[in-house]
Amino acid sequence: MSAADHFKGLREERGRITSTIPQVSYASTAPELSDNTRYDFFSRVVPPDTYQAQAMVDIVKAMRWNYVSTVASEGNYGESGVDAFIQKSREDGGLCISQSVKIPREPKTGEFDKIIRRLSENPNARVVIIFANEDDIRRLLQAAKKANQTGHFIWVGSDSWGSKISPILNQEEMAEGAVTILPKRQSIKGFDRYFISRTLENNRRNIWFAEFWENNFLCKLSRHAVKKGSGIKKCTNHERIGKDSSYEQEGKVQFVIDAVYAMAHALHNMHKDLCPGKVGLCPKMETINGTLLLKYIRHVNFTGIAGTPVVFNVNGDAPGRYEIYQYQMTNNATEYKIIGHWTDQLHLDTKEMQWPGATQEVPSSICSQPCRPGQRKKTVKGIPCCWHCENCDGYQYQADTYTCKMCRFDLRPNANNTGCDPIPIVKLEWSSGWAVIPVLIAVLGIMATLFVVVTFVRYNDTPIVKASGRELSYVLLTGIFLCYATTFLMISSPDVVICSLRRIFLGLGMSISYAALLTKTNRIYRIFEQGKMSVSAPRFISPASQLVLTFTLISVQLLGVCIWFGVDPSQAIIDYEDQRTSNPKMARGVLKCDISDLSLICLLGYSMLLMVTCTVYAIKTRGVPETFNEAKPIGFTMYTTCIVWLAFIPIFFGTSQSAEKMYIQTTTLTISVSLSASVSLGMLYMPKVYVVLFHPEQNVPKRKRSLKAVVTAATMSNKFNPKGGLRPNGEAKSELCESLETQDCFEGGEPREGL
C-alpha cells in the first residue's frame, strides 16, 4: 500500500469516527440545535431558548400585557430567541408584536437612537423583549436615557442579561423594573475553594492560566514585556485570586460539571454492559460506537452537582428550569431580586415586584383599553390585540366580546347593554290627565241624561213629552246614555270581556242615537211630502212602526258586530310596536284591545252612514217652519255633529305616529263620542225640559186641524212669510200632530205622540 493510500484511508476513518462522536454542551441554547434530523448527536445540560421564550411569554401574560416589542442582536442567539418568542406567543394567542427590531453586528452611529425612536412610535407598547448581547443591551439603555425615556420602557431580558452588572453600570435608573431570566443554577463552593487556591506553581498544566493571571492582576510575567511609563507592573507570583483581585464564580460552572458527569455516567454504564467485571477497556470498547454511546448519554439520570436531576429528552435537551429576577432600586440601593421561577409553568410572586417609581402598580402595555360593558370589539385587521370599541346601539345588547345582537321584540337592553329586560307595559290609567277630562265629561253627560229621563218619565203624559215622540225619545236617550258610558269601557284595563264590550257598545250607542234621529227626520219628510199631495197620512208613521224601523236599523250594527266576533274573536294584546321609540329607554308595550284603525273605521262606519243620511234628511226638511215639531233642532244637531267628527278624523289619524298615540286617540275618540251625545241632548231635550220645568203654561194642548190644512198653512206660511209661522209661547209647537186625523193621532179621544 502506498503512502498516499495509507493517508487517504486515515482521513476516511477519521471522518467516519468524528461524524458519529456524541457531544454534550454546557452553554449552547440555540433552538435549532433541538432538530434531531440535523443535530442528532448533540445533547446539552442547559435548556434550549424555546423554554426560555415560553417562560418569557408566560411572564408577559401573567402581567396582563398583550402588546410588546422585541429587540434582537443580529446572529443566531438573538434572532432565534426572538423567533421562538414570537412563535410561542402565536401558539398561546392573545399577544401581539408592535415592533420587531434587529441590532446589526456592526451598528452605525445613531443606530441605537433610531431603534429607540422606533420603539417609541407606539407608546402603548411599553414592554420590550430583549435577546441581545451585553454590549448591545448597554448601548440600548444609553440611547433610551439620551431620549429621556427613563421609566417608560419595561425590559424583559433573556439569560444574556440575567443578573449581570456590566450592561446596566452607571445607568441603573434605566434598568429599574427590568425582568430578567436565568437558567436555574447554584454556586459551587468546592469550585471556589479550588480556583482561589490556584497559583502559577500548582496550575502549570493549564496553558491558558498564565494569560488569565496577567489579565486578572494587570501585570506581566516577563520583565521584558514591561515598558517604562505604561503603568503595568511585573507579576510577583505572590498575587492571590479573590484577595488581590475581584472574583465571582462564572455562572456556567455548574453546567460544565454536569456535562462532564453526564459523559462519565454514560461511559460508565456502557462499560458495565460491554465489559462486565473487567477493569479498563475491553475489546468491545476499543473502538467507540458513537450511536451506542449516544444511547447511553440520552438515558443517564443522576443528581447534578447543584442537587438538580440531569436528564435528556428525545432531542437531547435538558428540562427547562429558570429563575426570574427583577432589577429593583430601594433607597438608592440596587439589586437583582429573585421574584419567581419557571419549571414547565410559571411561579411568580407579584408581591415582591416593584416598578419604576418604587410603585407596585403593574405598568400597562396593551394596544387597546378594554371595552366598557355594552360595547363590542372590532378588531384591527392583522392585529388581534388591537381593536376599536363600538357601542351596541338601539335595541342591541352585547352578546359576546365581538357581537351585538338585537333584543327580542318584547325586550329592551338593560342599563349597560349587556342583556335584555322586559319592556314595561303601559295602559291608560284612571288617574292620567288623558282620562280625567273624558271621564268628567261622561259623568256630567250621564247625570244630565238621567235628569232628562227622570223629567220625561215624571211628565210622561204632558203635551210636549207626547209631541216629542215618547218611544223614540227614550230610545234616543238610551243611545245617548250608551255614548257616555262608552268612555268608561275605553279607559278600563283591557281584557277579553272589556274588549268584547268595546266592540259592542262603541258603535251601538251612536247607532241607536242616529237610527232614532233618522227615523224622526224621515217621518217628518214623508209627512210633509205626502201632505202636499193628499189628505191621507203616509204609512209607517205610528209609534210602533217607528220603533220597528229604528230597531231594524240598529240590528244591522249588531249583526255586523256578531259577524266580526265569529271571524276574529276579541282579545287583549300587548303592542310593542306602538311605542317602540328610537330610544329604548322610552319604549313601552301598550296593553290594548285588538282593534286596528281600519277595524275602528268599520265599527263606526255604519254610525257615520246613519249620521250622514240623517243630515241629508235634515237638509231636505229645512223648509219646514221651526215651530213645526223638531226638524230644525235635529238639523242643527246633525250639522254640529258632522263638524265634531270632521275635526275628529285628522286628530285621530294624524297622531298615528306619535309616541302618545294611545292616549291622544283614546281621549279624542271618547270626547268626540261624548260631544256628539251632548249635542243631541242639549239641542233636542234641554229646551223641552226647560219648558216643562220652568214654563208649564206652555205645556198645554192646542186646537186641532186637519193634516191637509196644517201642512198647507205651514207651506204657504213658509213660502210667503218665512217668519209668519212663528207664534208666541210656542203655540204651534205641537199643532201638526194635534191636527192629524183622529185615526192617526187620536185614539179614544186622547192625543197621541207627535212626530
Side-chain angles (χ1 to χ4, degrees):
M1 179 182 295
S2 64
D5 292 336
H6 176 72
F7 283 111
K8 181 180 179 182
L10 287 176
R11 284 197 302 271
E12 292 176 351
E13 179 67 16
R14 182 181 178 186
R16 183 186 67 81
I17 294 175
T18 56
S19 65
T20 58
I21 294 178
Q23 301 175 11
V24 180
S25 172
Y26 59 84
S28 299
T29 59
E32 57 264 29
L33 293 175
S34 298
D35 186 353
N36 235 354
T37 61
R38 296 175 59 193
Y39 308 101
D40 48 339
F41 281 82
F42 180 84
S43 302
R44 49 187 165 187
V45 293
V46 288
D49 287 339
T50 50
Y51 291 140
Q52 182 175 201
Q54 182 64 64
M56 297 172 81
V57 169
D58 291 347
I59 292 171
V60 169
K61 297 184 73 173
M63 295 294 99
R64 299 184 183 276
W65 298 324
N66 68 3
Y67 202 41
V68 301
S69 298
T70 63
V71 175
S73 292
E74 185 178 6
N76 182 268
Y77 172 78
E79 295 179 52
S80 297
V82 165
D83 289 344
F85 177 85
I86 294 175
Q87 180 63 31
K88 291 294 182 181
S89 67
R90 288 174 179 170
E91 292 175 1
D92 286 10
L95 186 59
C96 299
I97 307 300
S98 172
Q99 300 282 353
S100 191
V101 184
K102 183 167 64 175
I103 303 173
R105 291 184 187 276
E106 297 181 2
K108 299 177 182 178
T109 303
E111 186 70 34
F112 288 92
D113 296 333
K114 181 180 177 182
I115 291 173
I116 292 297
R117 284 196 298 271
R118 282 193 61 185
L119 296 177
S120 303
E121 287 179 1
N122 193 332
N124 289 338
R126 296 180 60 187
V127 173
V128 181
I129 309 299
I130 300 182
F131 279 86
N133 58 53
E134 294 182 35
D135 186 58
D136 286 345
I137 294 172
R138 178 181 57 79
R139 296 176 68 180
L140 187 67
L141 294 178
Q142 285 178 347
K145 184 177 183 180
K146 180 180 177 182
N148 196 26
Q149 294 291 338
T150 304
H152 175 72
F153 292 113
I154 304 299
W155 313 99
V156 179
S158 63
D159 59 349
S160 62
W161 183 336
S163 58
K164 297 175 183 176
I165 298 299
S166 56
I168 62 174
L169 191 63
N170 298 324
Q171 47 193 8
E172 290 81 2
E173 69 279 4
M174 295 306 304
E176 184 182 8
V179 178
T180 60
I181 191 169
L182 267 179
K184 191 171 184 178
R185 62 190 183 182
Q186 185 174 329
S187 180
I188 309 303
K189 297 186 180 301
F191 180 82
D192 288 341
R193 289 193 299 270
Y194 166 79
F195 192 77
I196 290 173
S197 66
R198 295 301 89 193
T199 64
L200 292 173
E201 286 78 12
N202 61 19
N203 198 25
R204 295 182 181 275
R205 67 182 182 86
N206 191 329
I207 60 175
W208 294 287
F209 191 72
E211 182 179 352
F212 163 78
W213 194 272
E214 289 181 335
N215 291 331
N216 188 51
F217 294 109
L218 300 176
C219 64
K220 291 293 182 179
L221 292 173
S222 172
R223 181 182 298 273
H224 300 290
V226 178
K227 296 181 180 180
K228 292 183 178 181
S230 63
I232 299 177
K233 61 183 180 179
K234 184 181 181 299
C235 298
T236 63
N237 202 22
H238 295 294
E239 297 90 355
R240 291 295 178 265
I241 298 173
K243 181 179 179 181
D244 299 314
S245 66
S246 61
Y247 167 75
E248 182 181 0
Q249 186 180 120
E250 165 61 44
K252 294 183 176 62
V253 168
Q254 170 192 334
F255 302 113
V256 174
I257 297 173
D258 286 344
V260 173
Y261 271 100
M263 183 65 77
H265 276 279
L267 289 171
H268 177 71
N269 294 336
M270 185 178 182
H271 182 268
K272 284 198 304 183
D273 292 343
L274 297 183
C275 308
K278 292 187 178 182
V279 177
L281 293 177
C282 64
K284 291 183 179 181
M285 289 188 66
E286 287 180 356
T287 302
I288 296 296
N289 185 331
T291 303
L292 184 60
L293 178 58
L294 177 66
K295 178 182 177 182
Y296 280 97
I297 291 175
R298 295 288 172 86
H299 284 84
V300 298
N301 188 343
F302 65 94
T303 301
I305 191 68
T308 56
V310 177
V311 293
F312 301 99
N313 63 13
V314 293
N315 295 322
D317 296 329
R321 288 186 289 265
Y322 296 95
E323 286 184 325
I324 301 167
Y325 296 82
Q326 187 181 40
Y327 189 71
Q328 298 181 357
M329 299 179 65
T330 306
N331 298 325
N332 295 324
T334 61
E335 65 169 333
Y336 282 102
K337 187 172 185 178
I338 296 178
I339 56 172
H341 65 276
W342 189 93
T343 306
D344 293 330
Q345 61 181 359
L346 180 66
H347 301 275
L348 200 63
D349 187 359
T350 55
K351 294 180 180 179
E352 294 293 327
M353 301 183 77
Q354 182 176 293
W355 304 100
T359 178
Q360 289 192 324
E361 182 180 354
V362 180
S364 172
S365 185
I366 57 177
C367 181
S368 302
Q369 294 296 328
C371 294
R372 297 193 302 272
Q375 294 182 328
R376 76 177 185 95
K377 292 180 180 178
K378 186 178 182 181
T379 306
V380 176
K381 187 175 182 181
I383 312 177
C385 303
C386 300
W387 56 79
H388 302 295
C389 295
E390 292 186 348
N391 292 324
C392 294
D393 293 326
Y395 289 84
Q396 294 181 330
Y397 71 99
Q398 183 186 359
D400 55 44
T401 305
Y402 301 97
T403 309
C404 291
K405 290 185 178 180
M406 291 292 293
C407 289
R408 207 174 60 202
F409 73 95
D410 58 339
L411 303 175
R412 66 179 182 181
N414 57 19
N416 56 11
N417 287 71
T418 56
C420 297
D421 292 336
I423 294 178
I425 308 301
V426 297
K427 57 184 179 63
L428 187 57
E429 302 289 346
W430 292 99
S431 58
S432 169
W434 297 99
V436 170
I437 295 177
V439 168
L440 180 61
I441 295 174
V443 169
L444 294 176
I446 289 174
M447 293 172 62
T449 303
L450 293 176
F451 177 73
V452 171
V453 171
V454 170
T455 302
F456 268 50
V457 171
R458 172 69 179 81
Y459 298 95
N460 189 58
D461 295 326
T462 61
I464 286 183
V465 175
K466 289 182 179 181
S468 299
R470 287 178 296 186
E471 290 82 358
L472 286 182
S473 291
Y474 291 131
V475 171
L476 179 55
L477 288 170
T478 300
I480 292 173
F481 177 84
L482 291 178
C483 287
Y484 287 125
T486 301
T487 297
F488 299 96
L489 293 176
M490 297 301 295
I491 296 175
S492 297
S493 179
D495 55 31
V496 175
V497 175
I498 294 296
C499 291
S500 299
L501 293 176
R502 284 187 187 180
R503 284 192 183 186
I504 296 172
F505 290 105
L506 181 58
L508 183 61
M510 295 177 64
S511 296
I512 293 174
S513 299
Y514 297 135
L517 287 175
L518 177 58
T519 303
K520 279 194 173 191
T521 55
N522 175 266
R523 184 187 188 203
I524 295 171
Y525 174 76
R526 288 189 296 113
I527 288 175
F528 274 89
E529 287 298 313
Q530 182 72 19
K532 294 176 183 179
M533 296 180 290
S534 67
V535 295
S536 61
R539 296 183 300 170
F540 308 121
I541 64 171
S542 66
S545 301
Q546 298 296 294
L547 288 176
V548 170
L549 288 174
T550 300
F551 287 120
T552 300
L553 294 173
I554 295 171
S555 65
V556 174
Q557 172 77 20
L558 293 174
L559 178 61
V561 172
C562 291
I563 294 174
W564 189 8
F565 275 122
V567 174
D568 182 19
S570 183
Q571 60 180 343
I573 61 171
I574 300 176
D575 186 353
Y576 291 98
E577 295 297 329
D578 198 24
Q579 292 193 29
R580 193 176 180 85
T581 58
S582 57
N583 182 2
K585 294 180 180 179
M586 304 302 296
R588 299 292 185 270
V590 179
L591 178 62
K592 66 179 186 178
C593 295
D594 61 335
I595 302 177
S596 64
D597 291 348
L598 179 60
S599 300
L600 182 64
I601 292 298
C602 295
L603 182 64
L604 299 177
Y606 181 67
S607 300
M608 299 294 182
L609 177 62
L610 294 177
M611 182 183 70
V612 171
T613 307
C614 188
T615 304
V616 171
Y617 275 110
I619 294 173
K620 287 186 176 183
T621 59
R622 67 185 183 277
V624 177
E626 63 181 19
T627 54
F628 287 90
N629 215 285
E630 300 173 302
K632 291 293 175 67
I634 291 175
F636 286 125
T637 298
M638 300 317 301
Y639 306 150
T640 307
T641 302
C642 288
I643 293 173
V644 169
W645 286 100
L646 285 174
F648 159 79
I649 292 174
I651 296 175
F652 186 88
F653 293 100
T655 57
S656 59
Q657 302 301 321
S658 171
E660 305 289 334
K661 171 185 175 182
M662 175 187 67
Y663 308 109
I664 296 175
Q665 291 188 343
T666 302
T667 301
T668 303
L669 178 60
T670 52
I671 290 179
S672 297
V673 173
S674 295
L675 286 179
S676 299
S678 300
V679 169
S680 300
L681 186 66
M683 290 191 173
L684 297 179
Y685 291 103
M686 286 306 172
K688 295 181 176 61
V689 172
Y690 176 77
V691 172
V692 168
L693 296 179
F694 300 104
H695 295 282
E697 71 278 4
Q698 297 180 12
N699 190 12
V700 294
K702 304 297 183 296
R703 59 188 178 86
K704 297 177 286 294
R705 290 187 290 174
S706 67
L707 175 64
K708 181 68 175 178
V710 172
V711 172
T712 301
T715 303
M716 296 304 293
S717 174
N718 189 53
K719 181 176 180 180
F720 296 108
N721 185 10
K723 296 185 179 181
L726 296 175
R727 299 184 183 183
N729 301 323
E731 188 175 288
K733 189 70 178 176
S734 58
E735 181 180 2
L736 181 58
C737 179
E738 295 176 0
S739 300
L740 292 175
E741 293 178 335
T742 303
Q743 67 270 22
D744 294 324
C745 277
F746 292 92
E747 185 174 310
E750 294 295 325
R752 297 186 60 189
E753 289 77 357
L755 303 178

